[in-house]
C-alpha cells in the first residue's frame, strides 16, 4: 500500500482552521492515518471519525476536508465497506454546521465519484451496496450510467434494493417508473419494500397496490435491517408518517386503512409494527385516535392477541377513546411487575377513578405510575388522580415506613407529598405520618404539610414549621421551604424574611431571589442582600449566574420600584447570553423579566429586537417589546409569531404576544393562518413525553380559538 500517495496533502490542510464536533480538527490527520493500522487501531479511529465528522448526523467544515482521504483509503482497500458507509452518511446529511457553503460536504463526496463508482463492480456485495448508497446520496447525475449498468448485471436482492433507492434519488422520472414496476410480486421482497418507500418519496399517488404490497411484506423491518438508510428502517411507520404529512383527506384515509389492515395480520411481529405505526399516527394526527380506536379495541378483544403489553403505549394516546379498554387494563394492573405498572399508568390516563385503589395495592411496585401522577416541575405535568381512602391509607403506611427507615429516600417522600398536596385537606388524616417524616425532610414536605393541615391542627403544625424555619440543621432550602409553608398557613412573613436573609448570605439562587421579591414591603430588609447577591461588574458569568441575576434584578425592581439598576443588569445578561451557546432559556427569561418591568425597561428594546433573528427567541422578545410600548411592525411581528406557533416554539408565549399586538394585528391573512392551526388535522404540539403532547395540542387549539373570537 502506497501510504505516501494516499496521504499526499494531508499535512497541507489547515486542520486547526476547520472545526468538527469537538472543536479544532487538528486531531483528524492522526485518525485518518490510524485507519491503516492494526484492527484495534483502525476500529478505534473509525469510531472517532463517526463521532467527530458525522456526529449524530451533523457534518462540519472538517468533514469536507476529510472526504478525499476517506475516498482514497476506501478505493485502496482500507476498510472499504466501512468508509463507503461513512461517505454515504456524509453525503446524505442535511444537518450542516459551520460549512463554507450549503451542501459543501455532499459536493465533496460527489467530487470523489471517480474513486467510488468503480467499486460498484466489487465482488463483495456489501461493498457494492455501500458504494451505490454513497453515490446515490450525492444526487450527482454523473453516477447514473454506472448505476444503470450495475442494475442490468446485479442479482443480489439487497444490492438491487439499494440500486433502486439510488435511482430514485438521482433521476426521479426514471426512478418513479422503476419503483412502480418493482412493486411486482415476482421481485424479491427487499426490492419491493424499497419500491414502496421510493413511491412515497417521489410523491406518487397512493393506491391499493401500494397498500396490498406493504401489508403483504409485513413484518417489513427485517427486509431493511441491513440497509444503511436509518430514516427508513421502519417501513410501515415511515409510510404512515409520509401519508399523514401529505395532509389530505385521501392520504389520511390511506394511512388509517394501511394501519387497520396491518392490525388484522396474525403475526406478533407484524402486529408490533402496526401498533407502533398506530401510536405514531395518534402522535401527529388529531383525527387518528377516533378513527383507529375501533380497530385497536377489536384487536385487544381478539382471543389470539394474548399479550396486550405492546398495545399499552398507543392506548395511552387514544385518550377517552380508549375507555372501553379500562377493564382489560385493570386486570393487567392487578398483576405484578413492570407490565402491570405500565398498564396502571395508562389506566390513570383513561379512567383515573379506577386507578387509585389499584395503585394503593402496591405503591412501591408502581414507580412508573407514581412518576406519572406526581409529575416533575417544568418537565412533566402531573396526571391528576382522584382522592380515594385506599390510596390515602397506602400513603400513610408508606410514610410510616420512611419515618422508621435509617436511610430516607427524598424522591419517594417528595412523590407522596405531591399527591397529598394535590388533594389538600381531603388528605388531612395523613398529617401525623407526614409530620413524623417532616423534620428529616423539611424541604420537599413543607408545602404538603401546610396544604393538608385541618383547622384543629393549625397551631401545632405552625409551631413545627416555625421551628424548621429557624433551625440551622434544616439547611437553607429546608428553612426557606418551611418558612414559605408557614406563610401560606398563617400569613406570617418574619420567619421567611429571616430564612431568606441567611440563605442569600450563603448563596445566590433564582428561587431565593424570587421568594424575596414576592414579599412586598416586608422584604425591604432584604434589599442589601439582593444587591450583594448580584454578580460583580466585570465578572464573566456562568449560565446559573445569569439566571440568578435575572431573578435578583426583578426582586430589586419589585421591592424598590426603581428600574434603572435592574434594567442595567438585564441588559448585561442579554449581551452576554447572546454570544454563548446553551443560553436559550436564559435569553427568554431575561425577555420575560423585561415584560414584567414594562415601559421602564425601554432601554432594552435594541437588545430585544436583535433576538428576533433567532426564531426560538421571537415569542419572548416580541412580548417584551409590546410591554415596553416599543413601536413594532405588526405585520412582521404577527408573521414571526405565527411561524413560532407552527414550529411548536414556545407557542404559549407566542399566542400571548400575538394577543398583545392588539386586534388590528389579526388581519384576514393572520386569522386564516390561525384557523388552519386550530382546525387542521396535523398536530402542532408533538414533542414531549407520553400522551402529554396531545393534551398540550388541545390546549393550543382552545387558546387559538379564543384569540380568533376577538378578531371580530
Amino acid at each position: 500500500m502506497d501510504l505516501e500517495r494516499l496521504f499526499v496533502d494531508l499535512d497541507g490542510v489547515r486542520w486547526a482552521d476547520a472545526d468538527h464536533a469537538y472543536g479544532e480538527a487538528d486531531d483528524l490527520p492522526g485518525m485518518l492515518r490510524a485507519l491503516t493500522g492494526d484492527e484495534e487501531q483502525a476500529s478505534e479511529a473509525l469510531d472517532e471519525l463517526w463521532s467527530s465528522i458525522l456526529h449524530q448526523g451533523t457534518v462540519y467544515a472538517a468533514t469536507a476536508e476529510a472526504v478525499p482521504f476517506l475516498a482514497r483509503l476506501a478505493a485502496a482497500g482500507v476498510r472499504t465497506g466501512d468508509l463507503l458507509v461513512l461517505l454515504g452518511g456524509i453525503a446524505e446529511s442535511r444537518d450542516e454546521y459551520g460549512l463554507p457553503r450549503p451542501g459543501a460536504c455532499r459536493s465533496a463526496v460527489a467530487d470523489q465519484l471517480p474513486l467510488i463508482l468503480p467499486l460498484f463492480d466489487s465482488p463483495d456485495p456489501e461493498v457494492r451496496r455501500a458504494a451505490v448508497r454513497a453515490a446515490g446520496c450525492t444526487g450527482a447525475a454523473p453516477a447514473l450510467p454506472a448505476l444503470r449498468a450495475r442494475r442490468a448485471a446485479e442479482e443480489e436482492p439487497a444490492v438491487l434494493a439499494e440500486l433502486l433507492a439510488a435511482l430514485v434519488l438521482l433521476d426521479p422520472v426514471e426512478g418513479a417508473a422503476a419503483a412502480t414496476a418493482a412493486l411486482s410480486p415476482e421481485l424479491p421482497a427487499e426490492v419491493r419494500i424499497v419500491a414502496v418507500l421510493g413511491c412515497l418519496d417521489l410523491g406518487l399517488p397512493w393506491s391499493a397496490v401500494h397498500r396490498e404490497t406493504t401489508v403483504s411484506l409485513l413484518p417489513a423491518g427485517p427486509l431493511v435491517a441491513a440497509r444503511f438508510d436509518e430514516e427508513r428502517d421502519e417501513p410501515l411507520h415511515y409510510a404512515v408518517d409520509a401519508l399523514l404529512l401529505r395532509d389530505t383527506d385521501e392520504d389520511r384515509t390511506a394511512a388509517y386503512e394501511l394501519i387497520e389492515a396491518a392490525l388484522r395480520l396474525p403475526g406478533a411481529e407484524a402486529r408490533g409494527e402496526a401498533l407502533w405505526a398506530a401510536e405514531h399516527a395518534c402522535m401527529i394526527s388529531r383525527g387518528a385516535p377516533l378513527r383507529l380506536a375501533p380497530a385497536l379495541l377489536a384487536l385487544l378483544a381478539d382471543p389470539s392477541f394474548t399479550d396486550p403489553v405492546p398495545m399499552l403505549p398507543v392506548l395511552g394516546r387514544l385518550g377517552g377513546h380508549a375507555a372501553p379498554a379500562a377493564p382489560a387494563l385493570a386486570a393487567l394492573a392487578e398483576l405484578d411487575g413492570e407490565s402491570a405498572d405500565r398498564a396502571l399508568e395508562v389506566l390513570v390516563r383513561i379512567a383515573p377513578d379506577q386507578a387509585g385503589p389499584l395503585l394503593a395495592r402496591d405503591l412501591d411496585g408502581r414507580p412508573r405510575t407514581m412518576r406519572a401522577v406526581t409529575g416533575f416541575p417544568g418537565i412533566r405535568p402531573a396526571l391528576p388522580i382522584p382522592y380515594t381512602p385506599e390510596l390515602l391509607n397506602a400513603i400513610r403506611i408508606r410514610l410510616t415506613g420512611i419515618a422508621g427507615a435509617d436511610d430516607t429516600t427524598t424522591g419517594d417522600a417528595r412523590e407522596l407529598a405531591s399527591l397529598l398536596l394535590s388533594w389538600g385537606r381531603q388528605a388531612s388524616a395523613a398529617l401525623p405520618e407526614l409530620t413524623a417524616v417532616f423534620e428529616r425532610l423539611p424541604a420537599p414536605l413543607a408545602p404538603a404539610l401546610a396544604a393538608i393541615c385541618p383547622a384543629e391542627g393549625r397551631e401545632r403544625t405552625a409551631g413545627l414549621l416555625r421551628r424548621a424555619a429557624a433551625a440551622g440543621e434544616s439547611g437553607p432550602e429546608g428553612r426557606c421551604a418551611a418558612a414559605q409553608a408557614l406563610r401560606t398557613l398563617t400569613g406570617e412573613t418574619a420567619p421567611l424574611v429571616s430564612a431568606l436573609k441567611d440563605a442569600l448570605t450563603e448563596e445566590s439562587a433564582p428561587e431565593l431571589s424570587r421568594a424575596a421579591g414576592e414579599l412586598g414591603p416586608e422584604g425591604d430588609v432584604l434589599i442589601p442582600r439582593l444587591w450583594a447577591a448580584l454578580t460583580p461588574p466585570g465578572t464573566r458569568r456562568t449560565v446559573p449566574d445569569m439566571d440568578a441575576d435575572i431573578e435578583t434584578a426583578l426582586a430589586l425592581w419589585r421591592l424598590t420600584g426603581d428600574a434603572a439598576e435592574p434594567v442595567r443588569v438585564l441588559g448585561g445578561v442579554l449581551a452576554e447570553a447572546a454570544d454563548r451557546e446553551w443560553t436559550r432559556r436564559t435569553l427568554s427569561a431575561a425577555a420575560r423579566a423585561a415584560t414584567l418591568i414594562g415601559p421602564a425597561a425601554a432601554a432594552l428594546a435594541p437588545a430585544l429586537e436583535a433576538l428576533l433573528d433567532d426564531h426560538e427567541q421571537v415569542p419572548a422578545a416580541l412580548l417584551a417589546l409590546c410591554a415596553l410600548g416599543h413601536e413594532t411592525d405588526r405585520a412582521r411581528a404577527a408573521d414571526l409569531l405565527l411561524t413560532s406557533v407552527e414550529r411548536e416554539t414556545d407557542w404559549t408565549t407566542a399566542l400571548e404576544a400575538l394577543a398583545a399586538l392588539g386586534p388590528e394585528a389579526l388581519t384576514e391573512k393572520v386569522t386564516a393562518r390561525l384557523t388552519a392551526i386550530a382546525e387542521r388535522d396535523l398536530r402542532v404540539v408533538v414533542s414531549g413525553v407520553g400522551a402529554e403532547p396531545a393534551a398540550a395540542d388541545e390546549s393550543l387549539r382552545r387558546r387559538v380559538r379564543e384569540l380568533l373570537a376577538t378578531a371580530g
Side-chain angles (χ1 to χ4, degrees):
M1 184 185 301
D2 186 354
L3 295 181
E4 184 176 344
R5 180 179 61 83
L6 293 176
F7 294 126
V8 67
D9 300 332
L10 180 63
D11 294 323
V13 177
R14 298 173 63 90
W15 295 105
D17 294 339
D19 284 350
H20 55 42
Y22 303 107
E24 293 181 0
D26 49 7
D27 55 350
L28 275 184
M31 296 182 204
L32 292 166
R33 287 191 170 97
L35 290 170
T36 64
D38 60 32
E39 176 62 26
E40 183 177 351
Q41 289 176 316
S43 295
E44 183 177 345
L46 186 63
D47 290 342
E48 290 176 344
L49 282 165
W50 273 94
S51 180
S52 299
I53 65 174
L54 189 57
H55 184 76
Q56 296 180 354
T58 302
V59 291
Y60 307 83
T63 310
E65 299 287 1
V67 162
F69 303 103
L70 296 172
R72 290 177 200 170
L73 288 164
V78 177
R79 302 192 74 101
T80 302
D82 292 333
L83 295 185
L84 286 170
V85 173
L86 178 56
L87 287 167
I90 292 169
E92 181 186 25
S93 176
R94 300 299 189 269
D95 187 1
E96 302 171 336
Y97 182 83
L99 298 188
R101 64 185 186 284
C105 290
R106 191 160 45 260
S107 296
V109 179
D111 290 343
Q112 302 306 313
L113 285 176
L115 294 176
I116 295 172
L117 296 180
L119 298 172
F120 281 17
D121 297 322
S122 168
D124 184 346
E126 292 303 305
V127 170
R128 297 201 300 275
R129 287 178 58 235
V132 168
R133 173 72 177 160
C137 287
T138 66
L144 276 169
L147 186 87
R148 294 180 182 121
R150 187 66 249 166
R151 283 193 79 210
E154 188 59 59
E155 297 181 356
E156 179 68 34
V159 183
L160 282 168
E162 210 67 61
L163 285 160
L164 176 58
L167 184 60
V168 167
L169 290 170
L170 294 172
D171 187 335
V173 175
E174 184 178 349
T180 301
L183 298 171
S184 169
E186 298 176 359
L187 292 178
E190 295 91 336
V191 177
R192 296 174 68 207
I193 195 63
V194 169
V196 171
L197 300 178
C199 290
L200 285 165
D201 290 339
L202 292 168
L204 300 182
W206 185 264
S207 68
V209 174
H210 293 101
R211 182 183 69 247
E212 291 163 6
T213 300
T214 305
V215 174
S216 71
L217 294 172
L218 297 178
L223 299 177
V224 297
R227 293 194 69 213
F228 311 120
D229 185 357
E230 295 183 0
E231 185 181 353
R232 296 165 185 79
D233 61 352
E234 296 172 321
L236 180 61
H237 176 283
Y238 184 84
V240 167
D241 182 75
L243 289 168
L244 290 174
L245 290 180
R246 291 182 181 182
D247 201 19
T248 69
D249 290 340
E250 183 180 4
D251 287 307
R252 270 189 291 278
T253 299
Y256 301 149
E257 289 177 347
L258 178 59
I259 293 171
E260 290 163 346
L263 288 170
R264 291 192 290 269
L265 292 174
E269 290 185 15
R271 283 174 169 174
E273 291 185 3
L275 289 170
W276 169 222
E279 181 185 355
H280 181 70
C282 292
M283 186 189 310
I284 68 171
S285 166
R286 289 165 172 167
L290 174 62
R291 170 61 189 263
L292 295 177
L296 288 162
L297 294 172
L299 177 59
L300 185 63
D302 187 338
S304 69
F305 188 65
T306 57
D307 182 10
V309 173
M311 191 183 285
L312 294 177
V314 68
L315 287 176
R317 293 190 184 277
L318 291 181
H321 302 297
L329 289 169
L332 182 56
E334 289 179 351
L335 304 177
D336 296 325
E338 182 182 354
S339 296
D341 189 12
R342 293 174 63 189
L344 185 55
E345 180 195 9
V346 176
L347 191 63
V348 171
R349 297 180 186 280
I350 67 172
D353 55 321
Q354 298 181 41
L358 289 169
L359 177 58
R361 296 183 185 183
D362 187 10
L363 278 180
D364 291 345
R366 301 291 181 262
R368 187 185 184 103
T369 304
M370 284 296 292
R371 287 194 299 270
V373 299
T374 57
F376 197 90
I379 297 177
R380 185 180 62 248
L383 293 175
I385 187 168
Y387 162 83
T388 63
E390 299 96 327
L391 187 51
L392 176 62
N393 189 54
I395 291 172
R396 295 177 67 183
I397 293 171
R398 182 72 186 98
L399 285 170
T400 300
I402 291 174
D406 293 333
D407 295 322
T408 303
T409 304
T410 303
D412 286 351
R414 191 186 302 275
E415 288 182 344
L416 298 172
S418 177
L419 275 177
L420 297 176
L421 181 63
S422 70
W423 294 333
R425 293 191 179 178
Q426 280 186 298
S428 60
L431 185 63
E433 292 80 15
L434 193 63
T435 298
V437 182
F438 171 74
E439 291 186 4
R440 297 170 65 181
L441 297 170
L445 303 191
L449 198 65
I452 72 171
C453 179
E456 61 270 21
R458 185 170 177 272
E459 183 175 346
R460 182 173 182 276
T461 300
L464 184 67
L465 290 169
R466 285 190 199 97
R467 288 192 295 276
E473 58 267 24
S474 297
E477 184 183 5
R479 287 186 63 195
C480 290
Q484 286 179 301
L486 180 63
R487 187 185 181 208
T488 300
L489 185 64
T490 68
E492 298 174 50
T493 58
L496 180 56
V497 170
S498 176
L500 287 171
K501 190 174 182 180
D502 292 343
L504 285 166
T505 301
E506 297 180 23
E507 62 177 314
S508 174
E511 59 273 14
L512 298 176
S513 296
R514 191 179 306 120
E518 292 170 352
L519 280 170
E522 290 91 344
D524 286 353
V525 68
L526 298 174
I527 292 174
R529 301 297 172 95
L530 291 168
W531 284 118
L534 288 169
T535 304
T539 304
R540 181 173 171 81
R541 285 177 278 210
T542 64
V543 171
D545 289 339
M546 289 189 276
D547 293 339
D549 281 355
I550 290 169
E551 289 295 341
T552 303
L554 269 179
L556 285 166
W557 169 69
R558 289 186 172 113
L559 294 175
T560 67
D562 185 355
E565 185 61 17
V567 167
R568 184 196 67 78
V569 172
L570 293 176
V573 169
L574 286 168
E576 286 190 48
D579 295 329
R580 308 261 197 100
E581 292 188 60
W582 316 113
T583 53
R584 178 176 63 85
R585 293 181 183 276
T586 299
L587 286 167
S588 294
R592 285 192 292 270
T595 301
L596 293 171
I597 294 174
L604 299 175
L608 292 166
E609 281 194 312
L611 296 181
L612 299 182
D613 293 331
D614 180 352
H615 76 90
E616 292 186 340
Q617 301 302 329
V618 162
L622 276 173
L623 183 62
L625 287 168
C626 289
L628 269 54
H630 185 72
E631 190 64 31
T632 304
D633 181 339
R634 283 184 168 82
R636 175 174 179 257
D639 178 66
L640 289 171
L641 291 168
L642 286 168
T643 300
S644 293
V645 175
E646 290 160 351
R647 291 182 176 182
E648 194 189 347
T649 303
D650 193 6
W651 63 265
T652 53
T653 304
L655 291 175
E656 186 180 354
L658 191 57
L661 289 174
E664 58 269 31
L666 300 180
T667 63
E668 184 177 348
K669 182 178 179 181
V670 169
T671 56
R673 286 178 70 181
L674 283 169
T675 300
I677 288 169
E679 307 307 331
R680 74 186 195 185
D681 179 74
L682 288 175
R683 296 191 191 278
V684 173
V685 183
V686 295
S687 61
V689 179
E692 280 75 20
D697 188 65
E698 286 303 312
S699 296
L700 179 149
R701 297 180 82 182
R702 286 193 297 271
R703 181 67 188 97
V704 170
R705 287 166 177 163
E706 291 169 0
L707 190 56
L708 283 168
T710 69

